[in-house]
Amino acid sequence: MVSGAKALLDSTGRAPSHVPAALLSHRQLIDQSPDAMLIAAGDGSIVAANPVAERLWSRSPLAGCELLTLFEPTSQAVIAAWTPSPAACPPETRTRLLARRPDGTTRDVEVIPAHLSSGHLQLTVRDMTEAHLALRSEEHTSELQSRGL
């Protein structure tokens, strides 16, 4: 199965009209990004996702899914506010949210929203789960050492 932005091309090798031109022109950058990247239409449907995003959510393809279903209910209100309104997400704002996988497990993620000139919402998503586990482990070790244990 073809994944990521390459999946946006139809059988003739052309992009459907709902795919933003900016996405197609930057397809290689999106697919090679070390972070998960999602592109959503104004109605909240995902029109593109890179392979990193598909691994993060353990789901392929993500294109066609509803963006809100990828996040915990506590995070959905934040995402919903970003979707229709560019003013709701100032550039370079980093927000910590909880991503939800199909099996119900969650991942602590940092999300940077941006609105494309096409009106689509781009989310750059970095999985912070491992970093937080390492930090908690270091804090726990420091606490034990301070107690002489």
Side-chain angles (χ1 to χ4, degrees), residues 1 6 8 20 23 26 30-31 35 37 47 54 65 74-75 79 82 86 96 108 110 115 118 123-124 131 137 147-148:
M1 175 175 284
K6 293 178 188 93
L8 295 174
L23 173 63
H26 300 294
I30 290 168
D31 279 347
D35 295 319
M37 296 188 78
V47 296
E54 292 177 344
C65 296
T74 55
S75 299
I79 300 291
W82 291 340
R96 289 281 171 77
D108 186 14
E110 180 179 77
H115 275 271
S118 63
L123 297 182
T124 302
S137 177
R147 293 181 180 186

Side-chain angles (χ1 to χ4, degrees), residues 1-140:
M1 175 175 284
V2 178
S3 65
K6 293 178 188 93
L8 295 174
L9 303 180
D10 65 17
S11 60
T12 66
R14 294 190 195 119
S17 61
H18 71 277
V19 177
L23 173 63
L24 291 174
S25 65
H26 300 294
R27 177 177 55 213
Q28 190 173 23
L29 291 173
I30 290 168
D31 279 347
Q32 293 178 357
S33 172
D35 295 319
M37 296 188 78
L38 301 168
I39 308 291
D43 66 359
S45 61
I46 297 171
V47 296
N50 70 356
V52 178
E54 292 177 344
R55 284 191 300 275
L56 173 64
W57 274 280
S58 298
R59 189 172 179 178
S60 179
L62 285 172
C65 296
E66 291 297 317
L67 182 61
L68 292 181
T69 65
L70 302 181
F71 294 90
E72 282 291 296
T74 55
S75 299
Q76 290 177 356
V78 175
I79 300 291
W82 291 340
T83 305
S85 172
C89 56
E92 300 302 317
T93 299
R94 296 172 185 266
T95 304
R96 289 281 171 77
L97 299 173
L98 283 175
R100 181 180 58 212
R101 290 177 163 173
D103 66 3
T105 60
T106 59
R107 304 297 286 181
D108 186 14
V109 295
E110 180 179 77
V111 180
I112 303 171
H115 275 271
L116 303 176
S117 60
S118 63
H120 289 78
L121 175 67
Q122 174 185 303
L123 297 182
T124 302
V125 183
R126 181 168 291 160
D127 187 351
M128 302 301 288
T129 304
E130 300 304 322
H132 284 170
L133 290 175
L135 180 60
R136 287 184 197 138
S137 177
E138 288 175 20
E139 289 171 350
H140 182 70

